[in-house]
């Protein structure tokens, strides 16, 4: 069965510090991968998606970047965090055009102080 | 543009009642819809989905209804339990494997 992992689970970082959040998927190959951000009490905003290694599409201009160094690894990064980067970051996957449903990881709670 | 929204931000029900959570969408070309449940501090969990060639789909204690005429989606939960308390999101497919999410409805179940 497929599983998706995210770490860390929680993170408190000062403004201006770098960020690296990691997402890995097990039990599938060549998944589509997604990064979402969720502000408190709000819906999910798609940040990036990837259909393959090294292929990243950005949905909104922002202070963040994403990379996919391996087939089942998706990384969200920032060089200098802003207060507005605080939120709940969710990684999701699906198995490509034949499957529409996206399955989410447990999320990372990021607080920028 | 595409948008998905919900009519009620919070729904309070008694244990054992049936719950109905509503969602409106604006893209008449959307062909796939999903309901997710999100408990506090956790990632969204898939509940049920429906394609636009259907108007009803049933799962275990849940039913999704799709009315394409008025672009309305609903999630019905039968015999609601305290464990059903969560935020429920509808989502529609918004392009290449991308989902557009509504803002969510919080369901509160009282014992």
């Amino acid at each position: 069965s497929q599983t998706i992992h995210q770490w860390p689970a929680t993170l408190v970082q000062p403004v201006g510090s770098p960020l690296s959040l990691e997402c890995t998927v097990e039990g599938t190959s060549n998944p589509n991968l997604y990064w979402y951000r969720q502000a408190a009490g709000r819906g999910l905003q798609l940040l990036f998606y990837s259909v393959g290694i090294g292929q990243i599409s950005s949905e909104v201009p922002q202070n963040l970047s994403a990379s996919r160094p391996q087939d089942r690894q998706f990384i969200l990064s920032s060089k200098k965090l802003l207060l507005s980067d605080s939120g709940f970051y969710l990684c999701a996957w699906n198995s490509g055009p034949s499957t529409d449903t996206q399955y989410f990881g447990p999320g990372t709670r990021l607080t920028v102080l | 543009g595409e948008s998905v929204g919900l009519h009620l931000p919070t729904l309070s029900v008694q244990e054992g009642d049936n719950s109905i959570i509503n969602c409106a969408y604006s893209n008449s070309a959307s062909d796939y819809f999903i309901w997710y449940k999100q408990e506090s501090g956790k990632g969204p969990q898939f509940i049920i989905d429906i394609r636009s060639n259907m108007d009803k789909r049933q799962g275990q204690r849940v039913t999704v209804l799709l009315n394409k005429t008025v672009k309305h989606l609903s999630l019905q939960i039968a015999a609601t339990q305290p464990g059903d308390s969560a935020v429920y999101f509808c989502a529609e497919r918004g392009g290449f494997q991308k989902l557009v999410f509504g803002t969510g409805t919080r369901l509160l179940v009282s014992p």
Side-chain angles (χ1 to χ4, degrees), chain B residues 13 28 36 41 43 45 53 60-61 63 74 80 82 91 109:
Chain B
V13 300
S28 57
Y36 287 93
Q45 177 186 3
N53 61 353
Q60 186 178 10
R61 283 201 306 118
T63 300
S74 68
T80 313
V109 183

Side-chain angles (χ1 to χ4, degrees), chain B residues 41-104:
Chain B
K42 298 183 178 180
Q45 177 186 3
F46 170 83
I47 301 174
I48 193 168
D49 58 1
I50 189 168
R51 298 191 182 279
S52 59
N53 61 353
M54 304 172 66
D55 53 18
K56 180 179 180 179
R57 191 167 188 215
Q58 290 183 295
Q60 186 178 10
R61 283 201 306 118
V62 295
T63 300
V64 55
L65 299 177
L66 176 63
N67 186 331
K68 295 181 287 295
T69 302
V70 295
K71 291 183 285 188
H72 183 267
L73 192 70
S74 68
L75 177 70
Q76 300 179 358
I77 305 174
T80 313
Q81 303 169 359
D84 295 326
S85 294
V87 177
Y88 290 80
F89 293 96
C90 64
E92 63 178 319
R93 180 160 54 187
F96 179 75
Q97 292 301 312
K98 293 187 288 186
L99 296 178
V100 176
F101 285 83
T103 54

Side-chain angles (χ1 to χ4, degrees), chain B residues 1 3 9 17 19 21-23 33 44 50 52 61 65 78 80 96 98 107:
Chain B
S3 68
D17 289 350
S19 302
I21 301 172
N22 297 301
C23 177
F33 304 86
I50 189 168
S52 59
R61 283 201 306 118
L65 299 177
T80 313
F96 179 75
K98 293 187 288 186
L107 176 64

Side-chain angles (χ1 to χ4, degrees), chain A:
Chain A
S1 63
Q2 300 88 0
T3 55
I4 179 169
H5 304 278
Q6 287 185 244
W7 64 88
T10 59
L11 189 60
V12 179
Q13 291 285 97
V15 169
S17 64
L19 173 73
S20 181
L21 303 181
E22 190 164 344
C23 170
T24 58
V25 181
E26 297 177 354
T28 188
S29 59
N30 197 31
N32 293 334
L33 296 172
Y34 306 83
W35 276 114
Y36 290 87
R37 177 169 57 205
Q38 184 176 33
R42 304 293 296 274
L44 284 73
Q45 178 188 32
L46 179 63
L47 302 176
F48 302 94
Y49 70 94
S50 171
V51 300
I53 296 174
Q55 301 178 63
I56 308 295
S57 296
S58 175
E59 287 297 292
V60 294
Q62 59 205 312
N63 186 41
L64 302 169
S65 62
S67 61
R68 186 170 176 175
Q70 301 180 42
D71 181 44
R72 290 169 290 173
Q73 183 184 33
F74 205 21
I75 297 173
L76 184 69
S77 303
S78 175
K79 292 183 179 179
K80 289 185 178 181
L81 284 168
L82 305 172
L83 288 174
S84 58
D85 291 324
S86 294
F88 192 44
Y89 288 83
L90 290 154
C91 182
W93 74 275
N94 68 4
S95 56
S98 63
T99 302
D100 301 293
T101 306
Q102 292 181 19
Y103 298 94
F104 286 83
T108 294
R109 174 74 60 191
L110 172 66
T111 303
V112 182
L113 301 175

